[in-house]
Amino acid sequence: MPPAHHGFVPSSAEDTLRHRVKDELRTRMRALRSALPVSACADKSSQIVARLAALEAVATARSVALFWPIVDRHEVDLRALDARLRARSVRVAYPRLEETGAMSFRFVGDLEAMREHALGLLEPTGDDPVAERGELDAIVAPALAVDPRGHRIGYGVGHYDRALPRVAPPGVVVVVAFDFQLVAETPETEGDVAGAWVVTERRVLAASA
């Protein structure tokens, strides 16, 4: 299995440059994704769900963490995968931003009980059980950009990079994105956590070192 984390400690000047490049990639990818028609987003999401469902790490999992799409931002929509997983009695968790500011993953039994977040997504309630370290067999993470090594760029807040080391082992992190979001290389900065797999509507990649 490819490593889930690549250590990197750059100099201050290098770190500043890498963060600047990340910001530029975020801006470009958000613009490209926003221009994607809703129908195309739905079609590509459906293909990603099919590839995820066939991926061994997900197909054999008994517990999986997904994310609820921010529809207005044209994120990958995994709600159809949630239905597939529950049909075979898989426990499904979703991220929740706790009062401490840390992100957790909580198992959700009833999707209708999830609460609305200001960003336009749904998240678990405080009563849903927290997924502890080792309880998740697979964690599906979103990305604005991702490279073949599994290094992803999110919105820049760092919630996933801080949360994954607490819960991921022995879980497998799978990064999903639309194929145009797959780039040759993303800048690597301290604290980044890479995925073991990258899944788009066109391909499934085992992350390379």
Side-chain angles (χ1 to χ4, degrees):
M1 180 185 301
H5 181 265
H6 303 279
F8 183 81
V9 184
S11 68
S12 178
E14 288 175 335
D15 195 37
T16 299
L17 178 59
R18 289 168 186 268
H19 279 289
R20 185 177 303 155
V21 174
K22 276 188 171 184
D23 287 340
E24 292 173 355
L25 271 172
R26 284 190 188 97
T27 300
R28 179 157 59 92
M29 289 301 177
R30 289 185 74 162
L32 287 172
R33 199 172 64 182
S34 294
L36 188 69
V38 173
S39 58
C41 182
D43 182 60
K44 292 176 186 294
S45 292
S46 178
Q47 294 176 62
I48 289 172
V49 165
R51 291 188 182 279
L52 280 172
L55 183 66
E56 184 178 2
V58 175
T60 61
R62 303 311 304 165
S63 57
V64 177
L66 303 179
F67 60 89
W68 197 268
I70 303 177
V71 177
D72 289 346
R73 294 185 180 180
H74 291 198
E75 288 188 337
V76 175
D77 189 344
L78 301 178
R79 287 175 286 185
L81 180 60
D82 180 289
R84 289 195 186 196
L85 294 173
R86 292 180 191 276
R88 59 183 182 87
S89 301
V90 175
R91 298 179 74 195
V92 183
Y94 283 90
R96 169 186 160 87
L97 191 61
E98 304 294 346
E99 293 181 0
T100 61
M103 191 179 82
S104 67
F105 295 95
R106 290 177 178 263
F107 290 109
V108 176
D110 180 9
L111 290 177
E112 294 186 0
M114 292 176 72
R115 69 176 194 178
E116 291 188 18
H117 190 280
L119 290 176
L121 51 80
L122 297 182
E123 66 176 5
T125 69
D127 294 327
D128 291 315
V130 175
E132 302 293 345
R133 185 177 180 85
E135 282 195 285
L136 291 167
D137 297 322
I139 300 172
V140 184
L144 277 171
V146 62
D147 66 23
R149 301 175 304 154
H151 282 272
R152 55 179 287 279
I153 294 179
Y155 291 113
V157 184
H159 289 315
Y160 272 87
D161 288 329
R162 289 191 295 272
L164 290 175
R166 297 197 305 269
V167 299
V172 175
V173 178
V174 183
V175 182
V176 295
F178 298 126
D179 204 70
F180 65 81
Q181 296 172 285
L182 181 63
V183 298
E185 184 177 3
T186 65
E188 185 179 349
T189 53
E190 186 175 4
D192 287 352
V193 176
W197 297 91
V198 176
V199 178
T200 76
E201 74 275 14
R202 293 185 179 179
R203 65 193 96 186
V204 175
L205 302 175
S208 57

